[in-house]
Amino acid sequence: MEYMCLLVAFCAIAILGFVFVVFFEAYKRRNNHQHIEVPAIFEDPNSLKQVPCPHIVDPATKYISLIIPAFNEEHRLPGALDETMNYLQQRSLKDSSFTYEVVIVDDGSTDETKRVAFEFVRKYTVDKVRIILLGRNHGKGEAIRKGMLHSRGELLLMLDADGATKVTDLEKLENQIHAVAKSEYHQGDSSNSDPRFRISDIPVAVFGSRAHLEEKALATRKWYRNFLMKGFHLVVLLASGPGIRDTQAISFFIEFFLAFLYYTPIIVLPQCGFKMFTRAAARKLFSNVRLKRWCFDVELVFLCKRFKIPISEVSVNWSEIPGSKVNLLSIPNMLWELVLMSVGYRTGMWRISNST
């Protein structure tokens, strides 16, 4: 009996300690969305002069911005950038209104990623390719947030540095975002001729999805990823019925716990790293997002729901590229971030700003 009492006391102390740590960490991150510790600086490698840094609250001066987070990507980045720049150049030659920029965010790489990226700046000029150096590693979410907040496009596309999704598929997301924006504007096709209509002013988000590749993915993925995917997919179906689908294991993992933590209907995230936002949507979302690593996707969906920003999914072509930095060891960190997010928002410590 005495041992049982000691065990209960130990468990109670452990639980209280865990709760204290969770609340303390959530409180520490209450101002994470301000991100004042790393100023964004663009540098022209040809003149070595600093370039004025735009902000998401400024008017758009480009049609589209492509934001690429990069951490130790010296080998995969060149091929992806070559394909991306070739596509963008060809499209701009056909359509003079198609203006663009590529913003590479070096998330504290310890290899030659910075050198590789600056080679593209020298080749295409700092007006077309820009680099933000975070100095130390903050996480993919922080790298994307930084790029989004300092881009010039009416449309902002985030994509991975490995080139897993073909850049030409941005047209699918682009067409969908225009269609939804027109619908939201309540003008239908007439918005094309309405001078008051600007795509950048209508909050819309479109996510690339690879649910259509499920059968092939099951045949090529590692066994533990398929195991997790199938298990959590079943939980999702039992909990909420069919909905938006994506076959990445981590997608179902984080959405299951999102449902548990928020007691809200599940939206299964398209986790292929290919997402497009209008400038208005990016301004609201990335001025508030606090999570810096993998689970920032979940927070984006949560914020979209809070701001009533419509979310659509579009099937994209995708191939698995060797060198992924996501593994089973990432799962505890994801769960930890989800717990912090739940506590932060549900207690009111993480306040959502509507001023942007």
Side-chain angles (χ1 to χ4, degrees):
M1 187 67 179
E2 181 179 348
Y3 289 109
M4 182 63 68
C5 292
L6 289 175
L7 180 60
V8 171
F10 176 79
C11 291
I13 293 172
I15 292 172
L16 289 174
F18 176 75
V19 171
F20 173 79
V21 171
V22 168
F23 274 78
F24 179 71
E25 285 295 323
Y27 179 79
K28 277 173 50 178
R29 301 188 189 200
R30 69 193 186 283
N31 294 322
N32 262 18
H33 62 300
Q34 296 177 0
H35 305 276
I36 59 175
E37 74 278 8
V38 185
I41 298 173
F42 293 121
E43 184 179 278
D44 187 340
N46 295 316
S47 65
L48 298 181
K49 293 182 179 179
Q50 291 187 0
V51 177
C53 182
H55 197 273
I56 193 69
V57 298
D58 300 330
T61 58
K62 298 284 185 180
Y63 173 67
I64 191 168
S65 296
L66 282 69
I67 293 87
I68 304 177
F71 176 65
N72 292 344
E73 295 286 1
E74 63 173 323
H75 299 298
R76 301 195 296 181
L77 186 61
L81 280 178
D82 278 330
E83 180 181 344
T84 298
M85 296 307 298
N86 287 337
Y87 165 79
L88 295 173
Q89 282 189 312
Q90 291 176 11
R91 186 165 169 187
S92 65
L93 288 174
K94 296 177 182 178
D95 181 3
S96 59
S97 66
F98 183 82
T99 55
Y100 64 88
E101 67 171 348
V102 175
V103 180
I104 305 165
V105 187
D106 183 356
D107 188 23
S109 298
T110 56
D111 62 357
E112 295 298 313
T113 297
K114 176 182 175 181
R115 177 188 59 79
V116 170
F118 269 117
E119 288 177 358
F120 281 84
V121 182
R122 293 187 181 94
K123 181 177 180 180
Y124 294 101
T125 76
V126 73
D127 182 58
K128 296 285 182 25
V129 182
R130 296 183 165 192
I131 301 173
I132 298 177
L133 304 175
L134 296 189
R136 64 181 178 84
N137 180 255
H138 290 264
K140 182 180 180 180
E142 171 68 359
I144 291 173
R145 186 206 61 84
K146 201 71 167 182
M148 289 282 178
L149 290 183
H150 299 290
S151 296
R152 297 173 286 171
E154 295 182 70
L155 302 179
L156 296 94
L157 174 73
M158 53 176 274
L159 65 165
D160 292 335
D162 57 7
T165 305
K166 294 297 181 183
V167 68
T168 53
D169 279 353
L170 74 82
E171 295 178 23
K172 297 180 181 179
L173 276 65
E174 179 187 2
N175 292 336
Q176 178 67 14
I177 220 167
H178 275 277
V180 175
K182 290 175 182 177
S183 175
E184 291 292 309
Y185 192 67
H186 301 296
Q187 293 292 329
D189 294 335
S190 64
S191 60
N192 288 326
S193 57
D194 189 338
R196 296 172 299 172
F197 176 81
R198 291 187 301 179
I199 189 69
S200 59
D201 293 340
I202 313 297
V204 181
V206 178
F207 295 169
S209 171
R210 53 197 182 188
H212 59 295
L213 301 175
E214 180 172 351
E215 183 176 345
K216 181 179 178 181
L218 287 173
T220 58
R221 278 207 177 105
K222 293 181 175 62
W223 66 269
Y224 62 82
R225 298 185 72 178
N226 287 329
F227 174 78
L228 288 173
M229 182 273 289
K230 284 296 185 181
F232 288 112
H233 193 189
L234 177 61
V235 172
V236 169
L237 291 175
L238 292 175
S240 64
I244 299 175
R245 300 172 59 229
D246 183 270
T247 56
Q248 185 178 15
I250 294 170
S251 171
F252 296 105
F253 177 86
I254 59 181
E255 287 301 331
F256 166 72
F257 280 100
L258 181 63
F260 174 76
L261 294 170
Y262 283 101
Y263 306 101
T264 57
I266 296 174
I267 297 178
V268 182
L269 281 166
Q271 290 290 313
C272 64
F274 202 72
K275 300 177 176 66
M276 184 178 287
F277 308 88
T278 60
R279 192 170 188 82
R283 185 184 303 121
K284 290 176 177 290
L285 297 173
F286 291 95
S287 296
N288 281 284
V289 69
R290 288 171 170 83
L291 296 181
K292 296 186 176 185
R293 296 193 178 274
W294 303 108
C295 283
F296 79 99
D297 293 273
V298 182
E299 189 177 8
L300 284 177
V301 172
F302 173 78
L303 291 171
C304 279
K305 293 165 73 175
R306 273 294 189 89
F307 284 118
K308 294 181 169 49
I309 296 175
I311 305 174
S312 304
E313 70 161 351
V314 175
S315 298
V316 296
N317 296 303
W318 178 88
S319 57
E320 191 163 358
I321 307 296
S324 172
K325 298 176 178 64
V326 182
N327 52 54
L328 282 174
L329 297 178
S330 303
I331 293 178
N333 293 326
M334 293 178 181
L335 179 56
W336 174 245
E337 283 195 333
L338 290 176
V339 171
L340 292 180
M341 183 175 66
S342 177
V343 171
Y345 282 118
R346 294 178 67 184
T347 60
M349 284 188 286
W350 293 11
R351 296 181 179 178
I352 298 176
S353 172
N354 293 284
S355 60
T356 53

